[in-house]
Amino acid sequence: MRLQRCFAKRTNWNLAPNRLSAALAAHRAAGKPLLDLTVSNPTECGFEYDRSAILNVLSNPAALSYEPDPRGLESARRAVAGYYARRKEEVSAEDIFLTTSTSEAYSYVFRTLCDRVTKF
Protein backbone atom coordinates (compact mmCIF):
# COMPACT_ATOMS: atom_id res chain seq x y z
CA MET A 1 0.00 0.00 0.00
CA ARG A 2 1.37 3.41 -1.04
CA LEU A 3 1.09 6.24 1.47
CA GLN A 4 -0.49 9.47 0.31
CA ARG A 5 1.49 12.60 1.14
CA CYS A 6 -1.48 14.93 1.19
CA PHE A 7 -4.08 16.15 3.61
CA ALA A 8 -6.87 14.19 1.96
CA LYS A 9 -7.39 12.37 -1.32
CA ARG A 10 -9.57 15.20 -2.56
CA THR A 11 -6.60 17.58 -2.19
CA ASN A 12 -4.08 15.38 -3.94
CA TRP A 13 -3.78 17.76 -6.90
CA ASN A 14 -1.21 17.59 -9.65
CA LEU A 15 1.15 20.42 -8.67
CA ALA A 16 3.46 20.09 -11.66
CA PRO A 17 3.96 23.40 -13.50
CA ASN A 18 1.60 23.99 -16.41
CA ARG A 19 1.83 26.54 -19.23
CA LEU A 20 0.15 29.27 -17.20
CA SER A 21 2.24 28.78 -14.05
CA ALA A 22 5.42 28.61 -16.16
CA ALA A 23 4.51 31.84 -17.99
CA LEU A 24 3.74 33.53 -14.67
CA ALA A 25 7.07 32.42 -13.19
CA ALA A 26 8.94 33.70 -16.27
CA HIS A 27 7.07 37.03 -16.09
CA ARG A 28 7.97 37.47 -12.43
CA ALA A 29 11.58 36.35 -12.99
CA ALA A 30 11.94 39.01 -15.69
CA GLY A 31 10.86 41.62 -13.14
CA LYS A 32 7.91 42.72 -15.25
CA PRO A 33 5.00 44.46 -13.50
CA LEU A 34 2.03 42.26 -12.77
CA LEU A 35 -1.51 43.11 -11.73
CA ASP A 36 -2.49 40.08 -9.65
CA LEU A 37 -6.26 40.10 -9.18
CA THR A 38 -6.06 37.10 -6.85
CA VAL A 39 -4.33 39.01 -4.02
CA SER A 40 -6.80 39.31 -1.17
CA ASN A 41 -4.60 41.10 1.38
CA PRO A 42 -5.21 44.86 0.96
CA THR A 43 -1.86 45.68 2.60
CA GLU A 44 -0.12 43.98 -0.35
CA CYS A 45 -2.12 45.69 -3.12
CA GLY A 46 -0.27 49.01 -3.20
CA PHE A 47 -3.08 51.09 -1.72
CA GLU A 48 -2.04 54.33 -0.09
CA TYR A 49 -3.50 54.72 3.39
CA ASP A 50 -3.69 57.72 5.68
CA ARG A 51 -1.38 56.06 8.18
CA SER A 52 -1.59 58.79 10.80
CA ALA A 53 -5.41 58.72 10.76
CA ILE A 54 -5.42 54.93 11.17
CA LEU A 55 -2.93 55.05 14.03
CA ASN A 56 -4.86 57.91 15.63
CA VAL A 57 -8.05 55.84 15.66
CA LEU A 58 -6.20 53.14 17.57
CA SER A 59 -5.57 55.64 20.37
CA ASN A 60 -9.34 56.06 20.85
CA PRO A 61 -10.48 54.30 24.07
CA ALA A 62 -13.52 52.96 22.16
CA ALA A 63 -11.07 50.73 20.24
CA LEU A 64 -10.51 48.79 23.47
CA SER A 65 -14.14 47.65 23.57
CA TYR A 66 -15.16 44.73 21.38
CA GLU A 67 -18.80 43.79 20.89
CA PRO A 68 -18.93 41.17 18.14
CA ASP A 69 -21.81 41.12 15.69
CA PRO A 70 -22.11 38.41 13.02
CA ARG A 71 -23.03 41.11 10.49
CA GLY A 72 -19.93 43.20 11.27
CA LEU A 73 -19.28 46.18 13.50
CA GLU A 74 -22.40 48.36 13.55
CA SER A 75 -20.47 51.63 13.24
CA ALA A 76 -18.66 50.22 10.20
CA ARG A 77 -21.96 49.12 8.62
CA ARG A 78 -23.38 52.62 9.25
CA ALA A 79 -20.27 54.11 7.62
CA VAL A 80 -20.79 51.91 4.54
CA ALA A 81 -24.47 52.92 4.41
CA GLY A 82 -23.36 56.56 4.65
CA TYR A 83 -20.93 56.04 1.79
CA TYR A 84 -23.79 54.87 -0.42
CA ALA A 85 -26.14 57.60 0.84
CA ARG A 86 -23.63 60.24 -0.31
CA ARG A 87 -23.89 58.63 -3.73
CA LYS A 88 -27.69 58.79 -3.67
CA GLU A 89 -28.06 55.04 -3.06
CA GLU A 90 -30.31 53.96 -0.21
CA VAL A 91 -28.86 51.00 1.68
CA SER A 92 -29.76 50.26 5.27
CA ALA A 93 -26.97 49.40 7.70
CA GLU A 94 -29.19 46.47 8.73
CA ASP A 95 -28.89 45.05 5.19
CA ILE A 96 -25.09 45.22 5.12
CA PHE A 97 -22.91 42.28 6.11
CA LEU A 98 -19.18 42.88 6.54
CA THR A 99 -16.81 39.94 6.51
CA THR A 100 -13.17 39.52 7.48
CA SER A 101 -12.17 38.22 4.07
CA THR A 102 -13.38 37.47 0.59
CA SER A 103 -13.28 33.78 1.46
CA GLU A 104 -15.72 34.31 4.31
CA ALA A 105 -17.95 36.40 2.05
CA TYR A 106 -17.91 33.68 -0.61
CA SER A 107 -18.88 31.10 2.02
CA TYR A 108 -21.95 33.19 2.95
CA VAL A 109 -22.91 33.64 -0.70
CA PHE A 110 -22.51 29.96 -1.54
CA ARG A 111 -24.44 28.86 1.55
CA THR A 112 -27.23 31.27 0.66
CA LEU A 113 -27.33 30.06 -2.94
CA CYS A 114 -27.18 26.39 -1.92
CA ASP A 115 -30.00 26.95 0.53
CA ARG A 116 -32.14 28.12 -2.41
CA VAL A 117 -31.57 25.00 -4.50
CA THR A 118 -34.72 22.97 -4.93
CA LYS A 119 -34.44 19.38 -3.82
CA PHE A 120 -35.71 16.77 -6.26
Side-chain angles (χ1 to χ4, degrees):
M1 179 174 152
R2 185 172 166 242
L3 293 176
Q4 294 277 333
R5 292 186 184 255
C6 63
F7 175 70
K9 288 181 182 177
R10 71 177 191 279
T11 61
N12 191 21
W13 302 299
N14 178 0
L15 300 178
N18 59 32
R19 289 186 317 182
L20 178 60
S21 62
L24 179 60
H27 190 89
R28 286 186 170 145
K32 295 179 181 176
L34 178 70
L35 177 59
D36 187 347
L37 299 178
T38 65
V39 175
S40 61
N41 181 345
T43 65
E44 295 179 2
C45 292
F47 296 125
E48 293 186 24
Y49 296 100
D50 185 343
R51 294 173 183 258
S52 61
I54 292 171
L55 293 173
N56 188 39
V57 168
L58 295 175
S59 69
N60 183 337
L64 297 175
S65 175
Y66 175 62
E67 297 177 17
D69 185 317
R71 296 170 297 171
L73 189 63
E74 183 181 355
S75 60
R77 290 185 288 116
R78 284 195 313 264
V80 171
Y83 168 88
Y84 284 107
R86 289 188 298 278
R87 284 155 181 75
K88 310 292 188 237
E89 297 289 335
E90 186 177 334
V91 180
S92 167
E94 295 300 312
D95 292 332
I96 294 173
F97 282 71
L98 301 176
T99 62
T100 57
S101 66
T102 53
S103 298
E104 183 183 20
Y106 290 145
S107 75
Y108 285 134
V109 170
F110 290 135
R111 281 185 274 167
T112 300
L113 292 174
C114 290
D115 194 38
R116 304 274 190 263
V117 174
T118 305
K119 293 182 180 179
F120 293 98

